[in-house]
Structures are given as structure tokens and as C-alpha cells.
Amino acid sequence: MAKANTIGSEQRKELVDLAISLIEAFLDGVVPNEDSSPFDLGDWVGTYFVGSAVRFSKTFLSARRAFALRAAKLLKAKAGHETSISEMTQKVAQETVAKIIGATTPAAEEDGLPDEGAEPSTLSAEKRAQLIADGANELVDLVIAEGARTFIQIEPNFLVSSVDAVKVGRVTVMSTADAQQKTAVADNPRITLAAGEYPNLRTTDGVIHVGMPRMVWVVEVPAAKENVAEESKWLIDVAISFIRLAFKEETSRFPTNGEIEPHPTRPTDLRPPHVTLEGTTASAGGKKVSPLYELDAATIEHLCSKSLSTAAEAIFDPPKGSLALRVAQGLGWMTRGRQAFDRAERLLALFTALEALLSSDDKSAPVTQTISRYASVIYASHIPDRVQVYNQIKSLYSVRSKVVHAGERDVLWQEVNRLQRLVEAVFWVVINRCDLRMGKQASEASLSDASHGIKWAFSVTDAEEPQPEDGASA
């Protein structure tokens, strides 16, 4: 189930105060009816609505911007969308103006129409302030409610194939036919998923037929509506790395180490048009079979096991400050790395994944040494192997530094592939051996203690332990 955003009383009061300021600034811009040209905004930016017009002052624009930015920060990036929040502020401010004007219009006669000769009723300062405060609280309630919404996003799936539906946290891999019958689409008479018709979109007798490939992703997305597509892709990326690490044996089309992984929701062009020339020799195109994660019975059974289902639940709904949150962030960046066409970009994404998992809260700790030590502890139990892995990661960090700080792109596939193997092995151990709901501080403390030569609390057995590659450098 989706978790509602929790905003404390002090934070709510802060938002209400900002909302009051912007509504008051909005009211200051109301165009008086006695103007020679009623509702003429002139050179000002503003808004017209039923029976009124408002000029946007610099004060209002600044107050609206401050409210939207603070609200988005409190809701976090996926639940807060500055533009939609700004639109809410204008709607509530307009409603507040209408209430205040309505409270100060001439009294109605017996026929229900205002007496144009009557004096407008006087609105006390207390009543005006109360209407503004009510509007401010309504605005904050709307923003919080918007941030707590959850959507179901159905996307084309060109990367993972399965006979049965497989659920990984908030992401489900299923056939288009099953999605038509077993999701909320079945209850909507105006939408039909048309298997095999991707990317066609047609309307017949008022029913929209959405063309899809044979497989789809069904994603539960807690986010602001404007952020759903972006957040859905991220959750899919997290699920893909989780699925990849669940394979005990690679299938025939499994994306191998170093292979560019296809986009999960867009078709892969198997014959991209191009011409490559060398002197009088030319080549154009070349067909290849697109990689695919084919979920066989053994992998499906493993993904549905209690241990991995529990891990997936923790990763997709991680407790605040938990190891699961770090794993979730790292899994997404691992997928982004495999999707990267450029070797340097792939290297950076893979290191981002490793740092998302292992970075220390101690800002005085040197990043390179800390990440290298912690990764070596997870990867290997024996001290000589840890030293070897530590040196390999430090060497790869030097390559990363040249990319980040000097803009160099001189990265070898051998280096990127070695890093990918190390990162995937580290994440495999953490997912399969650690309590993902433990706090990140406790996790970091266990790694710090073990880095001094003692056995790590979650060490794999000798049979499970991956063997470091020969050579201390990449």
C-alpha cells in the first residue's frame, strides 16, 4: 500500500504561513470595479475568473514561488511538482477572493437579486482574516493530498518475458492479455489493451484501443500525476536489476556483462540505419537479436520465494533511513548504467550505484577508501581477497576521477565490465544476506568493524563467495 506523505505540525504551520502571505498578495492585486476599464490588466500579468480580475504583483509571484518550492521540498521530488502546486495556489486564491467579495456585496432583495443602490456589507478584519486562513489551510490540505496519490501505470515491456505474472514490489511483469483481464482496465469500458498492435492507438465506437506488445509492465506509482511517467520508469529500473540478480543461470538471450541493455519500455531498432566507411570499404547496418530477460520456471519460483518477496517489499517501500532505501537507489542506477551506450557514462552510473549503497555519513571519511573497504568486506571474507578487491576498486576510482574531474573519456570496456561484476556481486550479497530493514548506521557500523580484519556479520559462506579477478588493478 502507498504511504501518505507525513508533514509535521511545524512544517504544516510553515506552509500555512506561506499560503496566507501569497493569498494576501493575490488579494492586493484585485482590479477595482470603479476603474475606467474594468478588468483591464494593462501590461500586468494576471488572471480573469468569474466576475473578477487580479493583477499579479511581484510580491504575489515571489510568494507563490516560495510556497511551491517549500511544499515540493517537503513532499520530496516524486510527490511534489512545482508547476501543479502553483496552479493549486491560484485556484484556491481565486476561490478565496470570490468568498470575500461575496461577503461584501449589496444585500439581496426579496426577488433574490442584489439591490444595486444598497451599500455593500462591511466585512470585519477578523472575518477577512478567517477567510484567508481557511483558504490557506485548504491549499495545504490539497497539496498534501496531491502528494499522497497513487497511480497504476501500464507501460509496454520489451525487456522481460514471462508466461506467468511476476510481482516485484510495486512492479508486475505480465502479459497484455492478463493486464486487460486482471487490472483496473477490466473495469473501464472506455479503454482496451490491444495485444500485438503496438504502437497503434485507435478509437472504435467510443472505446480507445491502446496498442501494446505481448508483455507489459504494471506499476503502482506513488507520485504527483505530473511525475508518474518519470517515477514509473525509475521503479521499473529498480525491478530490472532485482530480477537480473535473481537469475541463478543465464538464459540464451540474457544481457551479458558489458552488453548494452535495451530500454525496458521502448522497442529496440534491430537494424539502425547507418553507413560506416573506411576508404572504399563500406558497411551498413547489421541485424542482431535483442537481449531479453526470459523468466524461466526456476527464476520465477525464486522471485516468488518468501525471502526475495520480503526483500522486494522492503526495497519498494523502504523504512526511513534503512539499508533497503540505499539498495533501492543503487538498483536503479545499476540499470541506468547497463542502459548506457557510452562507456564513461556507464562507469559513472555504476559507481553512483555503489556509492548509493555504501557511502558514509561521516563527511570527514575519504570516499574512495571507504567505498573500497566496505565493498571488499562484502565481496570477500578472506583478508588477502579483500586486499585484492580493495585495490581493484581504488584503481577503478582513479579512472572515474579522470572522467568526473578532467572530462576524459578514455575508459576501457575491460574496466567497466570489471566494475559491473564487482557491483552486481556486492548487491547480490546485500540483498540475499542482510536484514534490509536495519538502519543504515547499523549497517555502516558492521562494515566499519569488519574492515579492520574481523568477520563481517553477514558474510557469505565459502561456497557462495565470488572469486576476485586476478590482478590488483583494473
Side-chain angles (χ1 to χ4, degrees):
M1 296 296 293
K3 296 180 180 178
N5 286 281
T6 55
I7 292 182
S9 58
E10 289 298 319
Q11 295 171 326
R12 180 185 174 86
K13 182 180 182 302
E14 180 186 1
L15 285 180
V16 170
D17 290 343
L18 289 172
I20 288 174
S21 296
L22 75 86
I23 292 174
E24 288 177 338
F26 187 84
L27 281 165
D28 289 342
V30 172
V31 178
N33 284 336
E34 59 266 23
D35 277 8
S36 57
S37 299
F39 308 144
D40 179 11
L41 299 178
D43 294 332
W44 291 81
V45 176
T47 179
Y48 296 96
F49 51 104
V50 181
S52 301
V54 171
R55 296 187 180 104
F56 290 171
S57 65
K58 290 182 178 179
T59 302
F60 167 70
L61 294 175
S62 176
R64 183 176 68 177
R65 187 162 50 248
F67 177 86
L69 180 60
R70 184 57 181 152
K73 283 187 175 181
L74 289 176
L75 293 175
K76 308 301 182 184
K78 69 179 180 181
H81 188 269
E82 292 92 323
T83 301
S84 64
I85 292 173
S86 293
E87 291 171 355
M88 289 182 209
T89 65
Q90 184 168 316
K91 178 176 180 293
V92 172
Q94 288 174 344
E95 292 173 351
T96 304
V97 166
K99 290 175 183 177
I100 290 175
I101 291 177
T104 56
T105 53
E109 292 186 334
E110 292 182 0
D111 59 5
L113 297 176
D115 181 2
E116 295 182 0
E119 291 293 326
S121 60
T122 302
L123 185 66
S124 68
E126 291 80 4
K127 179 62 175 176
R128 185 179 187 275
Q130 185 59 54
L131 288 172
I132 293 174
D134 290 345
N137 278 283
E138 179 188 353
L139 175 57
V140 172
D141 288 340
L142 284 173
V143 168
I144 294 174
E146 183 71 14
R149 296 172 71 181
T150 297
F151 298 84
I152 299 297
Q153 181 87 341
I154 300 178
E155 300 256 13
N157 178 355
F158 295 97
L159 185 59
V160 179
S161 177
S162 176
V163 175
D164 302 319
V166 179
K167 181 175 174 59
V168 178
R170 293 182 178 273
V171 179
T172 302
V173 176
M174 65 169 57
S175 69
T176 301
D178 280 349
Q180 173 62 46
Q181 299 296 324
K182 300 177 181 179
T183 69
V185 174
D187 301 322
N188 192 322
R190 298 190 59 190
I191 296 287
T192 296
L193 301 179
E197 295 188 17
Y198 180 89
N200 295 333
L201 187 68
R202 56 185 174 85
T203 302
T204 305
D205 298 329
V207 178
I208 302 173
H209 298 262
V210 182
M212 288 287 183
R214 187 179 69 84
M215 302 296 299
V216 292
W217 304 98
V218 180
V219 190
E220 181 186 347
V221 188
K225 186 176 182 180
E226 293 79 3
N227 296 336
V228 168
E230 177 186 354
E231 293 304 317
S232 174
K233 170 60 166 56
W234 176 257
L235 292 173
I236 289 170
D237 284 347
V238 174
I240 291 169
S241 280
F242 190 90
I243 289 171
R244 178 182 177 88
L245 296 180
F247 275 84
K248 295 183 178 180
E249 292 184 7
E250 297 181 1
T251 54
S252 60
R253 294 176 63 183
F254 188 91
T256 58
N257 192 336
E259 191 168 16
I260 297 169
E261 191 170 279
H263 195 283
T265 66
R266 300 174 190 166
T268 301
D269 188 353
L270 299 179
R271 302 189 69 179
H274 72 274
V275 176
T276 303
L277 301 170
E278 183 183 20
T280 58
T281 303
S283 61
K287 189 172 183 179
K288 62 175 293 186
V289 176
S290 178
L292 185 70
Y293 291 106
E294 299 171 298
L295 297 181
D296 54 17
T299 305
I300 293 174
E301 182 180 2
H302 186 42
L303 279 168
C304 296
S305 66
K306 183 178 180 179
S307 60
L308 280 196
S309 295
T310 301
E313 289 174 6
I315 288 169
F316 282 87
D317 276 305
K320 184 178 180 181
S322 66
L323 176 60
L325 178 59
R326 291 190 161 204
V327 172
Q329 293 167 337
L331 289 175
W333 285 111
M334 285 168 63
T335 299
R336 297 287 168 96
R338 294 192 307 274
Q339 292 170 355
F341 176 79
D342 187 282
R343 285 167 286 180
E345 291 180 8
R346 177 174 288 220
L347 183 88
L348 294 181
L350 290 171
F351 263 119
T352 300
L354 198 59
E355 291 182 356
L357 178 66
L358 301 177
S359 60
S360 172
D361 288 336
D362 182 2
K363 302 307 178 185
S364 64
V367 174
T368 300
Q369 285 81 356
T370 300
I371 301 298
S372 301
R373 283 192 297 114
Y374 288 178
S376 69
V377 165
I378 296 172
Y379 192 98
S381 299
H382 303 292
I383 301 301
D385 291 339
R386 286 184 185 177
V387 173
Q388 189 173 340
V389 173
Y390 171 85
N391 288 331
Q392 288 178 4
I393 296 176
K394 274 196 66 179
S395 177
L396 289 167
Y397 252 113
S398 67
V399 179
R400 173 192 179 275
S401 295
K402 293 177 182 178
V403 175
V404 173
H405 302 296
E408 295 185 12
R409 294 182 58 254
D410 190 15
V411 180
L412 300 176
W413 273 114
Q414 177 191 13
E415 295 165 333
V416 180
N417 294 349
R418 176 168 292 176
L419 178 61
Q420 181 178 337
R421 282 190 289 271
L422 287 167
V423 172
E424 289 182 352
V426 166
F427 272 82
W428 183 94
V429 172
V430 171
I431 290 172
N432 287 275
R433 303 289 297 188
C434 293
D435 175 7
L436 298 183
R437 294 185 180 275
M438 70 187 299
K440 63 180 182 181
Q441 291 181 340
S443 169
E444 184 181 334
S446 72
L447 290 169
S448 178
D449 291 345
S451 68
H452 295 292
I454 65 175
K455 184 178 178 64
W456 183 44
F458 303 99
S459 287
V460 298
T461 64
D462 288 345
E464 293 174 314
E465 185 171 316
Q467 294 302 310
E469 298 179 35
D470 292 336
S473 66

